[in-house]
Amino acid sequence: MEFTHIDKDGLPKMVDVTSKEPSFRVARAIGKIFVGKDVIEAIENRLLPKGDVFATAKIAAINAAKKTFELIPLCHNIFLSFVDVSYKIEREEGYIEAVSEVKTEAKTGAEMEAITAVVIFLETVYDMCKAVKKDMVITDVRLIEKSGGKSGHYIFESENKTAKVVSINISRQKGTPKEPVSEAILIEDYGIEGDAHAGSSHRQVSLLDISSIKKMQQYGLKGLCFGKFAENITTENLDFQKISLGTKLKIGDNVLLEISQIGKKCHGSGCEIAKSVGVCIMPKEGLFAKVLKGGKIKAGDIIEIING
């Protein structure tokens, strides 16, 4: 294999694009920050001490896109003819989604500029809102489309769904709601460090996929937030059809879980969710696991299903 960014002496180099003809190029990227209901309300009611969140975030994103070559060592300095970031607030699911668009007439693409714009937009939202909440989670940052150049038109294929961790949720005391945290330590044969429900039972860690949570919206449940179903790990794209008792889940580089139970009856006459809308998804689609190998996990970690 020939490495484009390494010279014959094994040292890093910038790719020489001198002989290439400039062409019109567009790149778009996307990302989310899960902020929760309190932050969204503070933004909408202009209660944040630092001022206008989105105006500041857009300026930061535009500036960052123009300075991408200063941040990424081997990235070319290109003239950007257009940079913008749009956003939308998903109140029910508690997140803000940002989409960047970058245009240029250049000899190389603007993918890195588009991604940088989204990342800095989301980081600025975090900075503007951290006085209200510190356990916000930035996730799902990716290039979604690019056009122009030798490689032509590219669109992110959402069908190539990789299972991953969306949120990690813990409660310090039993009987209290689980709240999202940015990362957690899993302890072998025990559970999540600091979670009141960890212990020596076979239900050391609970998991629920975001697709299951979204089903509850069909029954009229409002304001769904991660951890509301008492799940420790909220997942995305975890294929329920491939999971049975004994299935192992590898999370990130080190953590290994083994599914020990599928579904669980709600306590007493039913959980608060079942009482309010008449049904709860956890008894059918909630997953419970033992920790076979501990380690640190964080939002965005890839989940691999291991059968047998």
Side-chain angles (χ1 to χ4, degrees), residues 92-142:
E92 301 303 322
E93 296 182 33
Y95 69 81
I96 297 164
E97 182 178 81
V99 177
S100 68
E101 184 175 38
V102 177
K103 298 179 182 179
T104 183
E105 183 86 18
K107 297 182 179 183
T108 187
E111 294 96 318
M112 297 309 303
E113 285 75 8
I115 293 171
T116 299
V118 160
V119 170
I120 297 303
F121 183 96
L122 298 174
E123 285 191 16
T124 304
V125 170
Y126 184 101
D127 181 62
M128 297 290 286
C129 301
K130 66 184 180 183
V132 176
K133 187 182 181 71
K134 290 183 171 57
D135 55 359
M136 295 174 282
V137 178
I138 294 173
T139 186
D140 290 337
V141 175
R142 63 190 185 274

mmCIF file of all heavy atoms in Angstrom, residues 92-142:
data_model
loop_
_atom_site.group_PDB
_atom_site.id
_atom_site.type_symbol
_atom_site.label_atom_id
_atom_site.label_comp_id
_atom_site.label_asym_id
_atom_site.label_seq_id
_atom_site.Cartn_x
_atom_site.Cartn_y
_atom_site.Cartn_z
ATOM 1 N N GLU A 92 -38.686 16.670 22.036
ATOM 2 C CA GLU A 92 -39.143 15.412 22.621
ATOM 3 C C GLU A 92 -37.995 14.490 22.974
ATOM 4 O O GLU A 92 -38.040 13.770 23.972
ATOM 5 C CB GLU A 92 -40.104 14.705 21.659
ATOM 6 C CG GLU A 92 -41.337 15.509 21.298
ATOM 7 C CD GLU A 92 -42.139 15.925 22.517
ATOM 8 O OE1 GLU A 92 -42.242 15.121 23.454
ATOM 9 O OE2 GLU A 92 -42.645 17.064 22.548
ATOM 10 N N GLU A 93 -36.951 14.493 22.155
ATOM 11 C CA GLU A 93 -35.819 13.603 22.393
ATOM 12 C C GLU A 93 -34.656 14.306 23.070
ATOM 13 O O GLU A 93 -33.642 13.675 23.398
ATOM 14 C CB GLU A 93 -35.373 12.960 21.075
ATOM 15 C CG GLU A 93 -36.457 12.073 20.476
ATOM 16 C CD GLU A 93 -36.001 11.389 19.202
ATOM 17 O OE1 GLU A 93 -34.806 11.072 19.090
ATOM 18 O OE2 GLU A 93 -36.852 11.189 18.324
ATOM 19 N N GLY A 94 -34.770 15.618 23.248
ATOM 20 C CA GLY A 94 -33.797 16.332 24.054
ATOM 21 C C GLY A 94 -32.456 16.612 23.397
ATOM 22 O O GLY A 94 -31.438 16.704 24.079
ATOM 23 N N TYR A 95 -32.450 16.783 22.072
ATOM 24 C CA TYR A 95 -31.163 17.070 21.434
ATOM 25 C C TYR A 95 -31.287 18.198 20.420
ATOM 26 O O TYR A 95 -32.375 18.563 19.970
ATOM 27 C CB TYR A 95 -30.568 15.826 20.777
ATOM 28 C CG TYR A 95 -31.279 15.300 19.550
ATOM 29 C CD1 TYR A 95 -31.066 15.869 18.291
ATOM 30 C CD2 TYR A 95 -32.129 14.203 19.628
ATOM 31 C CE1 TYR A 95 -31.694 15.374 17.161
ATOM 32 C CE2 TYR A 95 -32.768 13.697 18.509
ATOM 33 C CZ TYR A 95 -32.547 14.286 17.278
ATOM 34 O OH TYR A 95 -33.170 13.793 16.152
ATOM 35 N N ILE A 96 -30.130 18.748 20.075
ATOM 36 C CA ILE A 96 -30.010 19.761 19.025
ATOM 37 C C ILE A 96 -29.171 19.155 17.912
ATOM 38 O O ILE A 96 -28.096 18.605 18.166
ATOM 39 C CB ILE A 96 -29.345 21.036 19.569
ATOM 40 C CG1 ILE A 96 -30.221 21.672 20.655
ATOM 41 C CG2 ILE A 96 -29.072 22.026 18.437
ATOM 42 C CD1 ILE A 96 -29.490 22.693 21.492
ATOM 43 N N GLU A 97 -29.656 19.240 16.691
ATOM 44 C CA GLU A 97 -28.936 18.698 15.534
ATOM 45 C C GLU A 97 -28.434 19.837 14.668
ATOM 46 O O GLU A 97 -29.157 20.791 14.407
ATOM 47 C CB GLU A 97 -29.851 17.792 14.724
ATOM 48 C CG GLU A 97 -29.166 17.140 13.529
ATOM 49 C CD GLU A 97 -30.114 16.225 12.786
ATOM 50 O OE1 GLU A 97 -30.917 16.739 11.979
ATOM 51 O OE2 GLU A 97 -30.061 15.008 13.024
ATOM 52 N N ALA A 98 -27.191 19.743 14.238
ATOM 53 C CA ALA A 98 -26.581 20.777 13.398
ATOM 54 C C ALA A 98 -26.130 20.173 12.070
ATOM 55 O O ALA A 98 -25.622 19.054 12.039
ATOM 56 C CB ALA A 98 -25.392 21.405 14.107
ATOM 57 N N VAL A 99 -26.325 20.922 10.989
ATOM 58 C CA VAL A 99 -25.880 20.500 9.655
ATOM 59 C C VAL A 99 -25.066 21.633 9.042
ATOM 60 O O VAL A 99 -25.537 22.770 8.953
ATOM 61 C CB VAL A 99 -27.066 20.156 8.736
ATOM 62 C CG1 VAL A 99 -26.563 19.783 7.342
ATOM 63 C CG2 VAL A 99 -27.892 19.019 9.320
ATOM 64 N N SER A 100 -23.854 21.330 8.629
ATOM 65 C CA SER A 100 -22.997 22.336 7.997
ATOM 66 C C SER A 100 -22.997 22.147 6.482
ATOM 67 O O SER A 100 -23.211 21.046 5.975
ATOM 68 C CB SER A 100 -21.566 22.228 8.518
ATOM 69 O OG SER A 100 -20.975 21.018 8.072
ATOM 70 N N GLU A 101 -22.739 23.242 5.783
ATOM 71 C CA GLU A 101 -22.550 23.203 4.330
ATOM 72 C C GLU A 101 -21.399 24.126 3.971
ATOM 73 O O GLU A 101 -21.366 25.285 4.396
ATOM 74 C CB GLU A 101 -23.808 23.624 3.587
ATOM 75 C CG GLU A 101 -23.654 23.501 2.063
ATOM 76 C CD GLU A 101 -24.938 23.810 1.327
ATOM 77 O OE1 GLU A 101 -25.656 24.729 1.764
ATOM 78 O OE2 GLU A 101 -25.216 23.142 0.329
ATOM 79 N N VAL A 102 -20.450 23.595 3.229
ATOM 80 C CA VAL A 102 -19.260 24.347 2.841
ATOM 81 C C VAL A 102 -19.085 24.232 1.326
ATOM 82 O O VAL A 102 -19.208 23.149 0.757
ATOM 83 C CB VAL A 102 -17.995 23.805 3.556
ATOM 84 C CG1 VAL A 102 -16.757 24.562 3.089
ATOM 85 C CG2 VAL A 102 -18.153 23.915 5.069
ATOM 86 N N LYS A 103 -18.785 25.372 0.680
ATOM 87 C CA LYS A 103 -18.557 25.384 -0.766
ATOM 88 C C LYS A 103 -17.196 26.002 -1.061
ATOM 89 O O LYS A 103 -16.733 26.900 -0.351
ATOM 90 C CB LYS A 103 -19.653 26.193 -1.464
ATOM 91 C CG LYS A 103 -21.054 25.631 -1.301
ATOM 92 C CD LYS A 103 -22.091 26.504 -1.997
ATOM 93 C CE LYS A 103 -23.503 25.969 -1.796
ATOM 94 N NZ LYS A 103 -24.518 26.831 -2.445
ATOM 95 N N THR A 104 -16.583 25.502 -2.120
ATOM 96 C CA THR A 104 -15.294 26.036 -2.521
ATOM 97 C C THR A 104 -15.032 25.739 -3.992
ATOM 98 O O THR A 104 -15.605 24.811 -4.571
ATOM 99 C CB THR A 104 -14.157 25.422 -1.670
ATOM 100 O OG1 THR A 104 -12.906 26.024 -2.031
ATOM 101 C CG2 THR A 104 -14.055 23.920 -1.884
ATOM 102 N N GLU A 105 -14.179 26.527 -4.601
ATOM 103 C CA GLU A 105 -13.634 26.250 -5.938
ATOM 104 C C GLU A 105 -12.162 25.988 -5.702
ATOM 105 O O GLU A 105 -11.368 26.918 -5.526
ATOM 106 C CB GLU A 105 -13.829 27.457 -6.858
ATOM 107 C CG GLU A 105 -13.356 27.242 -8.285
ATOM 108 C CD GLU A 105 -14.414 26.603 -9.175
ATOM 109 O OE1 GLU A 105 -15.599 26.637 -8.800
ATOM 110 O OE2 GLU A 105 -14.042 26.074 -10.238
ATOM 111 N N ALA A 106 -11.784 24.710 -5.646
ATOM 112 C CA ALA A 106 -10.433 24.391 -5.183
ATOM 113 C C ALA A 106 -9.922 23.109 -5.824
ATOM 114 O O ALA A 106 -10.643 22.413 -6.545
ATOM 115 C CB ALA A 106 -10.413 24.265 -3.659
ATOM 116 N N LYS A 107 -8.658 22.802 -5.526
ATOM 117 C CA LYS A 107 -8.014 21.594 -6.044
ATOM 118 C C LYS A 107 -8.194 20.398 -5.119
ATOM 119 O O LYS A 107 -7.795 19.284 -5.467
ATOM 120 C CB LYS A 107 -6.516 21.862 -6.247
ATOM 121 C CG LYS A 107 -6.214 22.946 -7.285
ATOM 122 C CD LYS A 107 -4.722 23.128 -7.465
ATOM 123 C CE LYS A 107 -4.417 24.180 -8.521
ATOM 124 N NZ LYS A 107 -2.962 24.324 -8.774
ATOM 125 N N THR A 108 -8.758 20.624 -3.961
ATOM 126 C CA THR A 108 -9.011 19.544 -3.014
ATOM 127 C C THR A 108 -10.321 19.834 -2.300
ATOM 128 O O THR A 108 -10.838 20.949 -2.337
ATOM 129 C CB THR A 108 -7.842 19.416 -2.015
ATOM 130 O OG1 THR A 108 -8.027 18.252 -1.204
ATOM 131 C CG2 THR A 108 -7.746 20.642 -1.118
ATOM 132 N N GLY A 109 -10.877 18.814 -1.648
ATOM 133 C CA GLY A 109 -12.219 18.915 -1.099
ATOM 134 C C GLY A 109 -12.314 19.654 0.232
ATOM 135 O O GLY A 109 -11.315 19.989 0.863
ATOM 136 N N ALA A 110 -13.574 19.888 0.638
ATOM 137 C CA ALA A 110 -13.846 20.658 1.857
ATOM 138 C C ALA A 110 -14.507 19.802 2.932
ATOM 139 O O ALA A 110 -15.193 20.324 3.806
ATOM 140 C CB ALA A 110 -14.732 21.853 1.518
ATOM 141 N N GLU A 111 -14.276 18.484 2.883
ATOM 142 C CA GLU A 111 -14.904 17.604 3.867
ATOM 143 C C GLU A 111 -14.482 17.943 5.289
ATOM 144 O O GLU A 111 -15.310 17.984 6.211
ATOM 145 C CB GLU A 111 -14.553 16.137 3.571
ATOM 146 C CG GLU A 111 -15.120 15.602 2.268
ATOM 147 C CD GLU A 111 -14.112 15.683 1.136
ATOM 148 O OE1 GLU A 111 -13.417 16.715 1.027
ATOM 149 O OE2 GLU A 111 -14.007 14.710 0.358
ATOM 150 N N MET A 112 -13.182 18.186 5.489
ATOM 151 C CA MET A 112 -12.698 18.463 6.832
ATOM 152 C C MET A 112 -13.246 19.787 7.359
ATOM 153 O O MET A 112 -13.540 19.931 8.554
ATOM 154 C CB MET A 112 -11.169 18.478 6.869
ATOM 155 C CG MET A 112 -10.527 17.143 6.523
ATOM 156 S SD MET A 112 -11.209 15.763 7.469
ATOM 157 C CE MET A 112 -10.916 16.292 9.152
ATOM 158 N N GLU A 113 -13.410 20.750 6.465
ATOM 159 C CA GLU A 113 -13.975 22.039 6.866
ATOM 160 C C GLU A 113 -15.429 21.880 7.320
ATOM 161 O O GLU A 113 -15.859 22.511 8.303
ATOM 162 C CB GLU A 113 -13.878 23.037 5.717
ATOM 163 C CG GLU A 113 -12.489 23.587 5.460
ATOM 164 C CD GLU A 113 -11.532 22.618 4.771
ATOM 165 O OE1 GLU A 113 -11.989 21.538 4.338
ATOM 166 O OE2 GLU A 113 -10.346 22.946 4.637
ATOM 167 N N ALA A 114 -16.175 21.038 6.611
ATOM 168 C CA ALA A 114 -17.569 20.808 6.979
ATOM 169 C C ALA A 114 -17.686 20.118 8.332
ATOM 170 O O ALA A 114 -18.511 20.490 9.171
ATOM 171 C CB ALA A 114 -18.262 19.973 5.897
ATOM 172 N N ILE A 115 -16.856 19.108 8.546
ATOM 173 C CA ILE A 115 -16.875 18.386 9.821
ATOM 174 C C ILE A 115 -16.433 19.303 10.959
ATOM 175 O O ILE A 115 -17.030 19.317 12.041
ATOM 176 C CB ILE A 115 -15.983 17.135 9.746
ATOM 177 C CG1 ILE A 115 -16.575 16.123 8.759
ATOM 178 C CG2 ILE A 115 -15.828 16.495 11.125
ATOM 179 C CD1 ILE A 115 -15.666 14.965 8.444
ATOM 180 N N THR A 116 -15.386 20.082 10.728
ATOM 181 C CA THR A 116 -14.898 21.008 11.750
ATOM 182 C C THR A 116 -15.978 22.009 12.141
ATOM 183 O O THR A 116 -16.161 22.320 13.327
ATOM 184 C CB THR A 116 -13.646 21.749 11.256
ATOM 185 O OG1 THR A 116 -12.619 20.787 10.984
ATOM 186 C CG2 THR A 116 -13.140 22.737 12.298
ATOM 187 N N ALA A 117 -16.709 22.513 11.158
ATOM 188 C CA ALA A 117 -17.770 23.481 11.437
ATOM 189 C C ALA A 117 -18.822 22.892 12.367
ATOM 190 O O ALA A 117 -19.266 23.543 13.326
ATOM 191 C CB ALA A 117 -18.413 23.947 10.129
ATOM 192 N N VAL A 118 -19.234 21.656 12.100
ATOM 193 C CA VAL A 118 -20.234 21.011 12.950
ATOM 194 C C VAL A 118 -19.702 20.787 14.363
ATOM 195 O O VAL A 118 -20.386 21.062 15.358
ATOM 196 C CB VAL A 118 -20.695 19.670 12.330
ATOM 197 C CG1 VAL A 118 -21.333 18.768 13.380
ATOM 198 C CG2 VAL A 118 -21.700 19.923 11.225
ATOM 199 N N VAL A 119 -18.493 20.266 14.461
ATOM 200 C CA VAL A 119 -17.918 19.978 15.781
ATOM 201 C C VAL A 119 -17.836 21.242 16.630
ATOM 202 O O VAL A 119 -18.229 21.248 17.807
ATOM 203 C CB VAL A 119 -16.528 19.329 15.640
ATOM 204 C CG1 VAL A 119 -15.822 19.259 16.992
ATOM 205 C CG2 VAL A 119 -16.655 17.925 15.051
ATOM 206 N N ILE A 120 -17.335 22.319 16.051
ATOM 207 C CA ILE A 120 -17.184 23.563 16.816
ATOM 208 C C ILE A 120 -18.539 24.183 17.143
ATOM 209 O O ILE A 120 -18.722 24.767 18.218
ATOM 210 C CB ILE A 120 -16.287 24.555 16.065
ATOM 211 C CG1 ILE A 120 -14.874 23.957 15.916
ATOM 212 C CG2 ILE A 120 -16.212 25.882 16.797
ATOM 213 C CD1 ILE A 120 -14.209 23.577 17.240
ATOM 214 N N PHE A 121 -19.508 24.060 16.246
ATOM 215 C CA PHE A 121 -20.869 24.522 16.556
ATOM 216 C C PHE A 121 -21.380 23.811 17.804
ATOM 217 O O PHE A 121 -21.874 24.455 18.742
ATOM 218 C CB PHE A 121 -21.800 24.246 15.375
ATOM 219 C CG PHE A 121 -23.207 24.740 15.573
ATOM 220 C CD1 PHE A 121 -23.606 25.965 15.072
ATOM 221 C CD2 PHE A 121 -24.142 23.970 16.257
ATOM 222 C CE1 PHE A 121 -24.905 26.432 15.258
ATOM 223 C CE2 PHE A 121 -25.441 24.424 16.457
ATOM 224 C CZ PHE A 121 -25.819 25.654 15.949
ATOM 225 N N LEU A 122 -21.254 22.491 17.832
ATOM 226 C CA LEU A 122 -21.756 21.705 18.964
ATOM 227 C C LEU A 122 -20.956 21.985 20.236
ATOM 228 O O LEU A 122 -21.531 22.064 21.333
ATOM 229 C CB LEU A 122 -21.719 20.217 18.619
ATOM 230 C CG LEU A 122 -22.590 19.790 17.432
ATOM 231 C CD1 LEU A 122 -22.358 18.325 17.104
ATOM 232 C CD2 LEU A 122 -24.071 20.039 17.716
ATOM 233 N N GLU A 123 -19.648 22.129 20.106
ATOM 234 C CA GLU A 123 -18.827 22.447 21.273
ATOM 235 C C GLU A 123 -19.198 23.816 21.851
ATOM 236 O O GLU A 123 -19.190 24.014 23.069
ATOM 237 C CB GLU A 123 -17.342 22.423 20.914
ATOM 238 C CG GLU A 123 -16.776 21.029 20.750
ATOM 239 C CD GLU A 123 -15.258 21.039 20.652
ATOM 240 O OE1 GLU A 123 -14.646 22.062 21.000
ATOM 241 O OE2 GLU A 123 -14.702 20.028 20.210
ATOM 242 N N THR A 124 -19.524 24.747 20.961
ATOM 243 C CA THR A 124 -19.910 26.083 21.422
ATOM 244 C C THR A 124 -21.256 26.039 22.137
ATOM 245 O O THR A 124 -21.455 26.719 23.151
ATOM 246 C CB THR A 124 -19.952 27.075 20.249
ATOM 247 O OG1 THR A 124 -18.676 27.079 19.593
ATOM 248 C CG2 THR A 124 -20.258 28.479 20.734
ATOM 249 N N VAL A 125 -22.184 25.230 21.620
ATOM 250 C CA VAL A 125 -23.455 25.038 22.324
ATOM 251 C C VAL A 125 -23.185 24.517 23.733
ATOM 252 O O VAL A 125 -23.766 24.988 24.716
ATOM 253 C CB VAL A 125 -24.377 24.071 21.548
ATOM 254 C CG1 VAL A 125 -25.593 23.695 22.403
ATOM 255 C CG2 VAL A 125 -24.831 24.702 20.238
ATOM 256 N N TYR A 126 -22.286 23.535 23.820
ATOM 257 C CA TYR A 126 -21.928 22.994 25.139
ATOM 258 C C TYR A 126 -21.385 24.100 26.039
ATOM 259 O O TYR A 126 -21.801 24.254 27.188
ATOM 260 C CB TYR A 126 -20.883 21.881 24.991
ATOM 261 C CG TYR A 126 -20.537 21.210 26.313
ATOM 262 C CD1 TYR A 126 -21.077 19.981 26.644
ATOM 263 C CD2 TYR A 126 -19.680 21.813 27.224
ATOM 264 C CE1 TYR A 126 -20.784 19.370 27.853
ATOM 265 C CE2 TYR A 126 -19.381 21.229 28.440
ATOM 266 C CZ TYR A 126 -19.929 19.997 28.752
ATOM 267 O OH TYR A 126 -19.647 19.411 29.957
ATOM 268 N N ASP A 127 -20.459 24.874 25.537
ATOM 269 C CA ASP A 127 -19.843 25.928 26.340
ATOM 270 C C ASP A 127 -20.867 26.954 26.800
ATOM 271 O O ASP A 127 -20.825 27.426 27.938
ATOM 272 C CB ASP A 127 -18.742 26.612 25.534
ATOM 273 C CG ASP A 127 -18.044 27.701 26.324
ATOM 274 O OD1 ASP A 127 -17.432 27.387 27.362
ATOM 275 O OD2 ASP A 127 -18.120 28.880 25.922
ATOM 276 N N MET A 128 -21.799 27.291 25.923
ATOM 277 C CA MET A 128 -22.799 28.295 26.263
ATOM 278 C C MET A 128 -23.805 27.789 27.297
ATOM 279 O O MET A 128 -24.425 28.588 28.005
ATOM 280 C CB MET A 128 -23.549 28.735 24.999
ATOM 281 C CG MET A 128 -22.674 29.410 23.945
ATOM 282 S SD MET A 128 -22.110 31.048 24.434
ATOM 283 C CE MET A 128 -23.620 31.997 24.257
ATOM 284 N N CYS A 129 -23.972 26.463 27.364
ATOM 285 C CA CYS A 129 -25.019 25.881 28.207
ATOM 286 C C CYS A 129 -24.500 25.162 29.451
ATOM 287 O O CYS A 129 -25.290 24.680 30.261
ATOM 288 C CB CYS A 129 -25.853 24.889 27.391
ATOM 289 S SG CYS A 129 -26.653 25.608 25.950
ATOM 290 N N LYS A 130 -23.196 25.051 29.608
ATOM 291 C CA LYS A 130 -22.653 24.222 30.690
ATOM 292 C C LYS A 130 -22.970 24.748 32.076
ATOM 293 O O LYS A 130 -22.862 24.002 33.058
ATOM 294 C CB LYS A 130 -21.146 24.051 30.511
ATOM 295 C CG LYS A 130 -20.332 25.331 30.655
ATOM 296 C CD LYS A 130 -18.868 25.069 30.352
ATOM 297 C CE LYS A 130 -18.052 26.354 30.500
ATOM 298 N NZ LYS A 130 -16.632 26.151 30.134
ATOM 299 N N ALA A 131 -23.372 26.014 32.194
ATOM 300 C CA ALA A 131 -23.769 26.529 33.507
ATOM 301 C C ALA A 131 -25.056 25.862 33.987
ATOM 302 O O ALA A 131 -25.299 25.766 35.189
ATOM 303 C CB ALA A 131 -23.966 28.043 33.440
ATOM 304 N N VAL A 132 -25.873 25.388 33.037
ATOM 305 C CA VAL A 132 -27.125 24.707 33.370
ATOM 306 C C VAL A 132 -26.917 23.207 33.514
ATOM 307 O O VAL A 132 -27.486 22.560 34.395
ATOM 308 C CB VAL A 132 -28.190 24.990 32.286
ATOM 309 C CG1 VAL A 132 -29.480 24.218 32.565
ATOM 310 C CG2 VAL A 132 -28.471 26.481 32.209
ATOM 311 N N LYS A 133 -26.073 22.632 32.646
ATOM 312 C CA LYS A 133 -25.907 21.174 32.612
ATOM 313 C C LYS A 133 -24.523 20.836 32.072
ATOM 314 O O LYS A 133 -24.093 21.425 31.075
ATOM 315 C CB LYS A 133 -26.996 20.563 31.721
ATOM 316 C CG LYS A 133 -27.080 19.053 31.693
ATOM 317 C CD LYS A 133 -28.186 18.640 30.723
ATOM 318 C CE LYS A 133 -28.368 17.136 30.637
ATOM 319 N NZ LYS A 133 -28.976 16.577 31.854
ATOM 320 N N LYS A 134 -23.840 19.923 32.729
ATOM 321 C CA LYS A 134 -22.493 19.561 32.279
ATOM 322 C C LYS A 134 -22.419 18.189 31.613
ATOM 323 O O LYS A 134 -21.439 17.896 30.937
ATOM 324 C CB LYS A 134 -21.515 19.619 33.448
ATOM 325 C CG LYS A 134 -21.251 21.040 33.927
ATOM 326 C CD LYS A 134 -20.217 21.088 35.031
ATOM 327 C CE LYS A 134 -19.814 22.515 35.337
ATOM 328 N NZ LYS A 134 -20.941 23.384 35.717
ATOM 329 N N ASP A 135 -23.428 17.344 31.805
ATOM 330 C CA ASP A 135 -23.355 16.002 31.228
ATOM 331 C C ASP A 135 -24.068 15.914 29.879
ATOM 332 O O ASP A 135 -24.761 14.951 29.585
ATOM 333 C CB ASP A 135 -23.893 14.953 32.194
ATOM 334 C CG ASP A 135 -25.309 15.256 32.673
ATOM 335 O OD1 ASP A 135 -25.858 16.300 32.271
ATOM 336 O OD2 ASP A 135 -25.858 14.454 33.432
ATOM 337 N N MET A 136 -23.897 16.945 29.061
ATOM 338 C CA MET A 136 -24.389 16.894 27.683
ATOM 339 C C MET A 136 -23.474 15.989 26.855
ATOM 340 O O MET A 136 -22.291 15.848 27.167
ATOM 341 C CB MET A 136 -24.424 18.305 27.095
ATOM 342 C CG MET A 136 -25.411 19.236 27.791
ATOM 343 S SD MET A 136 -25.306 20.948 27.198
ATOM 344 C CE MET A 136 -23.840 21.529 28.069
ATOM 345 N N VAL A 137 -24.033 15.391 25.799
ATOM 346 C CA VAL A 137 -23.289 14.417 24.999
ATOM 347 C C VAL A 137 -23.309 14.808 23.526
ATOM 348 O O VAL A 137 -24.383 14.968 22.934
ATOM 349 C CB VAL A 137 -23.868 12.994 25.164
ATOM 350 C CG1 VAL A 137 -23.120 12.003 24.277
ATOM 351 C CG2 VAL A 137 -23.811 12.554 26.619
ATOM 352 N N ILE A 138 -22.122 14.970 22.945
ATOM 353 C CA ILE A 138 -21.981 15.225 21.513
ATOM 354 C C ILE A 138 -21.787 13.885 20.810
ATOM 355 O O ILE A 138 -20.940 13.082 21.213
ATOM 356 C CB ILE A 138 -20.793 16.158 21.234
ATOM 357 C CG1 ILE A 138 -21.072 17.552 21.823
ATOM 358 C CG2 ILE A 138 -20.517 16.255 19.731
ATOM 359 C CD1 ILE A 138 -19.895 18.500 21.750
ATOM 360 N N THR A 139 -22.556 13.648 19.750
ATOM 361 C CA THR A 139 -22.494 12.336 19.102
ATOM 362 C C THR A 139 -22.902 12.443 17.631
ATOM 363 O O THR A 139 -23.367 13.486 17.161
ATOM 364 C CB THR A 139 -23.419 11.332 19.826
ATOM 365 O OG1 THR A 139 -23.248 10.027 19.278
ATOM 366 C CG2 THR A 139 -24.872 11.735 19.716
ATOM 367 N N ASP A 140 -22.711 11.336 16.911
ATOM 368 C CA ASP A 140 -23.177 11.185 15.526
ATOM 369 C C ASP A 140 -22.612 12.224 14.565
ATOM 370 O O ASP A 140 -23.270 12.601 13.594
ATOM 371 C CB ASP A 140 -24.711 11.237 15.458
ATOM 372 C CG ASP A 140 -25.352 10.005 16.060
ATOM 373 O OD1 ASP A 140 -24.683 8.969 16.118
ATOM 374 O OD2 ASP A 140 -26.513 10.082 16.485
ATOM 375 N N VAL A 141 -21.395 12.703 14.799
ATOM 376 C CA VAL A 141 -20.768 13.650 13.864
ATOM 377 C C VAL A 141 -20.246 12.861 12.668
ATOM 378 O O VAL A 141 -19.492 11.906 12.826
ATOM 379 C CB VAL A 141 -19.627 14.426 14.544
ATOM 380 C CG1 VAL A 141 -18.918 15.320 13.522
ATOM 381 C CG2 VAL A 141 -20.164 15.257 15.699
ATOM 382 N N ARG A 142 -20.631 13.279 11.480
ATOM 383 C CA ARG A 142 -20.193 12.540 10.289
ATOM 384 C C ARG A 142 -20.412 13.373 9.030
ATOM 385 O O ARG A 142 -21.254 14.274 9.005
ATOM 386 C CB ARG A 142 -20.948 11.217 10.146
ATOM 387 C CG ARG A 142 -22.454 11.377 9.947
ATOM 388 C CD ARG A 142 -23.155 10.037 10.055
ATOM 389 N NE ARG A 142 -24.573 10.124 9.760
ATOM 390 C CZ ARG A 142 -25.511 10.431 10.637
ATOM 391 N NH1 ARG A 142 -25.166 10.702 11.878
ATOM 392 N NH2 ARG A 142 -26.790 10.466 10.290
#
